[in-house]
Amino acid sequence: MPVTGGSRRTATAVQLAVALVLVAGLLFTGGSGATLGDSSSAPDRSPVDSQAAAVPFPGSARSGSGGSGSARSAAAPTVVTGGAGTPADQLAADVVTGVEQFWRDQFPMHFGRPWVNIRAFHAVDPGNPAVPAPCLRRPLDLSEQALYCPRQDTVAWDRTGLVPTLRRTYGDGAVLVALAHEIGHAVQDRLGINAEVQLREPTRYPTILLEAMADCFAGVVVHAAVDGRLGKIRIGRLELDRTMRALLSFRDPVGVAISTTAHGDAFDRASAFLDGYQNHAGTCAAMTVRNQVFTQRGYTSLTDVMQNGDLPLNDLLAGLDPDAHGWFGHLVTSRGRTWRTPVRSLPALRGCATPHLERQGPVRYCASTGAVSTSAPELARVHDRLGDYAGGELLASRYALAALDALGRPVNGPEAGRTAVCLSGAYTRALFDRSGDGGFGLSPGDIDEAVQELLDHDFAARDAAGQAPAGDLGFERIMQFRTGALGGPGKCGL
């Protein structure tokens, strides 16, 4: 979480992770993979997922598919090789069939050229050495992974490990987002950028950008599933939080710097996915290193590594409180209003006329006195489970309510809660932008902690009466936070 001067904070609280990592053998064969395991402990392997290849290249045409041989007719049906007819096999087959049909329909509409069918789909049992896996020296290399192999224009996945585990842990939406991500790399390939282009222009097409685009294409596909436009695959709105959890489990381990193999932190991946979910395929194709904000950063000091970036709770509050005072105070006074500086008290507030103040959660804003209070035990539980900036984001959301109050805006009702989340995102972006200047800022993993807290709880979206917007999902809270982080207070309606 934010830290002053030398010590910086970062979260390692990663649940069951599906950290997308590329095994060494794939580096020589042009494939990519998703590995099951805890991303905080996994990589002795390079953290990279899908291919090191494709992103839209304006004006480039594409001949053929996958670089060799003739492509299948666009009218040919999707055929999956392998599988034993298990429910997980049928789900994966339905997913790739529905996703390819979606791109068969949408690709010409958005990009003005016909879709070229993916050459092959393979459901692989990594434990069976008699059945080869595309782009790999041995099937075992596909264990708990999925990949798109651009050289062979093939999508393959571990049918006995990866797909059943994703489905069991996160639901059908997790299988959809994983395979749609890999097919997203095939979409990139058809837009004209392959591994050779990336090698030639690595700064223009870093892996983190290509991964963001694939996440974005996956977001487009998931929205189609929610709308009932993806064949047999249906994802209910209430399943979006589980699908987002699966996506966030794909993030890089905390403290990994952006490099030629980076995939992005939780915010990077969620942000790209939401771009696709909220917009369309053309938005994904237009992504560049200039119009994307990536928040993944590496550790910058031994202190970071030794302390895992975490500040003790009292140190966090001591640093964040005056900083939030200043930022939100400037927000109010710059709009011609008077900032009634909230007074923070650690114990529960006394003399607050707001009933049921405790319903706001670990941090509370009292509209009658203009004070902010924290419940030390409750905030400590958030701090210990998710990391320091999970609690920091909650504190920021209460200062956001104070700012709304000072600006004459309602502090009760669903819009107050949503705006508080949005403003907490804008404040978090300010902390991120000043990180590394020796002052109070964020450490690697801090934004991940905020995103995880927003997904897990609705505390930040509760208004001054302790009510969260009815029906809002963690998925939507992350969307609101992202709006403020990328657009600033103006995008929050101020």
Side-chain angles (χ1 to χ4, degrees), residues 156-243:
W157 57 90
D158 172 5
R159 57 166 293 270
T160 60
L162 178 70
V163 172
T165 303
L166 283 176
R167 190 183 194 199
R168 182 172 59 252
T169 306
Y170 300 109
D172 291 358
V175 179
L176 173 61
V177 78
L179 295 180
H181 173 98
E182 300 304 331
I183 294 174
H185 286 297
V187 175
Q188 293 171 339
D189 190 53
R190 283 147 177 75
L191 287 170
I193 288 193
N194 51 31
E196 289 75 20
V197 173
Q198 190 195 29
L199 289 173
R200 190 166 62 245
E201 300 184 80
T203 57
R204 186 177 181 186
Y205 301 112
T207 296
I208 196 169
L209 176 64
L210 306 190
E211 294 304 317
M213 296 179 75
D215 285 339
C216 184
F217 286 130
V220 174
V221 168
V222 169
H223 200 162
V226 172
D227 288 346
R229 296 182 289 115
L230 206 68
K232 297 180 180 179
I233 302 301
R234 299 286 192 276
I235 301 297
R237 177 179 171 274
L238 296 180
E239 295 179 68
L240 285 172
D241 279 4
R242 295 184 75 195
T243 301

Side-chain angles (χ1 to χ4, degrees), residues 435-449:
S435 298
D437 65 4
F440 194 79
L442 297 183
S443 294
D446 280 346
I447 295 183
D448 283 20
E449 294 162 6

Side-chain angles (χ1 to χ4, degrees), residues 5 105 188 213 349 401 420:
D105 296 338
Q188 293 171 339
M213 296 179 75
L349 286 175
L401 284 182

Side-chain angles (χ1 to χ4, degrees), residues 276-294:
Y277 190 91
Q278 292 178 285
N279 298 294
H280 51 74
T283 301
C284 308
M287 287 181 166
T288 69
V289 291
R290 293 184 177 181
N291 63 23
Q292 293 302 296
V293 175
F294 295 113

Side-chain angles (χ1 to χ4, degrees), residues 200-442:
R200 190 166 62 245
E201 300 184 80
T203 57
R204 186 177 181 186
Y205 301 112
T207 296
I208 196 169
L209 176 64
L210 306 190
E211 294 304 317
M213 296 179 75
D215 285 339
C216 184
F217 286 130
V220 174
V221 168
V222 169
H223 200 162
V226 172
D227 288 346
R229 296 182 289 115
L230 206 68
K232 297 180 180 179
I233 302 301
R234 299 286 192 276
I235 301 297
R237 177 179 171 274
L238 296 180
E239 295 179 68
L240 285 172
D241 279 4
R242 295 184 75 195
T243 301
M244 179 64 80
R245 288 183 195 283
L247 177 72
L248 298 190
S249 74
F250 300 160
R251 64 186 182 260
D252 281 341
V254 170
V256 173
I258 290 183
S259 66
T260 56
T261 61
H263 285 59
D265 61 19
F267 181 83
D268 295 334
R269 304 212 74 155
S271 182
F273 179 85
L274 289 170
D275 248 347
Y277 190 91
Q278 292 178 285
N279 298 294
H280 51 74
T283 301
C284 308
M287 287 181 166
T288 69
V289 291
R290 293 184 177 181
N291 63 23
Q292 293 302 296
V293 175
F294 295 113
T295 61
Q296 179 166 325
R297 293 185 296 115
Y299 288 119
T300 58
S301 71
L302 182 59
T303 302
D304 262 357
V305 178
M306 297 292 289
Q307 296 184 347
N308 197 30
D310 262 326
L311 284 177
L313 180 57
N314 287 341
D315 291 349
L316 165 68
L317 294 175
L320 186 61
D321 189 50
D323 192 86
H325 269 305
W327 192 87
F328 284 101
H330 176 73
L331 177 68
V332 170
T333 57
S334 67
R335 285 157 174 74
R337 304 299 289 263
T338 300
W339 174 237
R340 180 175 63 166
T341 306
V343 175
R344 184 181 64 82
S345 61
L346 197 57
L349 286 175
R350 296 175 181 175
C352 179
T354 302
H356 306 299
L357 189 68
E358 72 283 354
R359 290 180 181 173
Q360 291 185 41
V363 190
R364 302 105 184 231
Y365 171 67
C366 177
S368 66
T369 64
V372 172
S373 68
T374 53
S375 166
E378 291 181 57
L379 196 57
R381 284 194 290 272
V382 173
H383 178 281
D384 294 343
R385 191 172 74 84
L386 297 178
D388 57 357
Y389 197 63
E393 193 274 335
L394 295 182
L395 188 64
S397 75
R398 301 305 88 183
Y399 278 107
L401 284 182
L404 289 177
D405 210 358
L407 290 167
R409 301 281 294 272
V411 294
N412 288 322
E415 280 312 301
R418 295 186 182 111
T419 304
V421 172
C422 184
L423 288 175
S424 73
Y427 172 65
T428 300
R429 174 62 183 275
L431 287 175
F432 174 80
D433 286 346
R434 79 169 89 112
S435 298
D437 65 4
F440 194 79
L442 297 183

